Amino acid sequence: MKKLMTLLIILAILLCNLSTLAAPSSADSFDQALQRWTKSRKIVDEDGANLEVRATYYSAEFIEALIQKEAKDNLWTQQEADNYKYKFLSSLKLDELIPIQIEFINNGPTMFLGPFDIMVKLRISGKTYKSVDYDRRFNFKFQGKKEGLVFFPRFDEKTGKDLLKGVKNVSIEFVPAISPILEGRNISFIWDIARDDPQALYKGAAANKLETERLLKRLEKLCKDKAEEEAKLKAINDEISTIQTRLDELAKQ
């Protein structure tokens, strides 16, 4: 009987270890997503000075993997994970912007990147777009490592069209002026986003909270627009009434 129990315990341990090996951890999933969505390039001049540029596209896959990694690393409850996801997605503003993480590792001449919005652009369907917001630390000169988020518009400013709808790939481009090491060469990275689906992130409690917030903001805007239009209509009706009154007066003369 004791031998049987011992064998069962050993078998249980083996099965547990096998299941652990078979199921990838959140860290593994994050590392795989990071590798898929991060592009990098290193330039070295003849004197050994070098610059490495990395860019990570915040796809739905990468964001979800990052959230799951944070939840596991911090041993969060589901509610804590949902709260983090809500705050994180709110800060990214995926319904308005395209976030990209940029990192420079500069082991060369001091870099002067301010204003940073003219140093980088996003190319979508043959057109380029300047960033609408970015980490202001990029504006200060530096050597060594510097990283931060850069945000590009998701919708066309004039038409309101979703810039990523039906698009297979996007690319980020850095001007040669970011560093003398480049010697006039461009640095650019391209991502295949055909299968990226940001809407996949908007599920569960955090997503419901985000949608409620978005709808309330939309309702507030519509109410404001309605009040403005009603004020315009009232002004028109008042003018019509004034003109009609005057016409009646003239008709009696």
Side-chain angles (χ1 to χ4, degrees), residues 117-224:
D117 60 346
I118 67 173
M119 297 292 181
V120 61
K121 55 190 176 183
L122 193 67
R123 184 175 294 276
I124 306 173
S125 300
K127 296 183 179 180
T128 58
Y129 299 87
K130 288 178 60 177
S131 65
V132 295
D133 196 11
Y134 59 89
D135 191 321
R136 290 301 188 269
R137 291 176 296 178
F138 283 131
N139 286 336
F140 299 96
K141 63 182 181 180
F142 70 96
Q143 288 180 311
K145 181 178 177 180
K146 183 161 288 192
E147 61 182 330
L149 280 169
V150 181
F151 298 88
F152 296 92
R154 185 174 290 272
F155 298 92
D156 185 272
E157 186 177 8
K158 295 181 179 179
T159 65
K161 178 186 176 182
D162 185 344
L163 296 175
L164 299 182
K165 187 175 183 180
V167 173
K168 293 183 178 180
N169 56 66
V170 300
S171 61
I172 193 170
E173 302 173 359
F174 299 88
V175 300
I178 63 172
S179 172
I181 292 179
L182 298 183
E183 297 181 344
R185 292 169 291 183
N186 288 311
I187 287 184
S188 63
F189 304 119
I190 187 169
W191 291 276
D192 180 357
I193 63 164
R195 296 183 180 180
D196 184 36
D197 181 19
Q199 293 304 315
L201 293 166
Y202 293 88
K203 297 177 182 178
N208 292 338
K209 190 174 181 180
L210 281 167
E211 185 177 10
T212 299
E213 187 177 86
R214 179 180 62 80
L215 291 174
L216 286 173
K217 287 181 179 179
R218 178 62 177 166
L219 182 61
E220 181 181 358
K221 184 180 184 303
L222 289 173
C223 289
K224 183 180 178 181

Side-chain angles (χ1 to χ4, degrees), residues 44 46 62 68 103 187 210 220 237-238:
V44 182
E46 57 185 10
F62 174 76
Q68 293 301 322
E103 179 181 352
I187 287 184
L210 281 167
E220 181 181 358
N237 287 332
D238 289 345

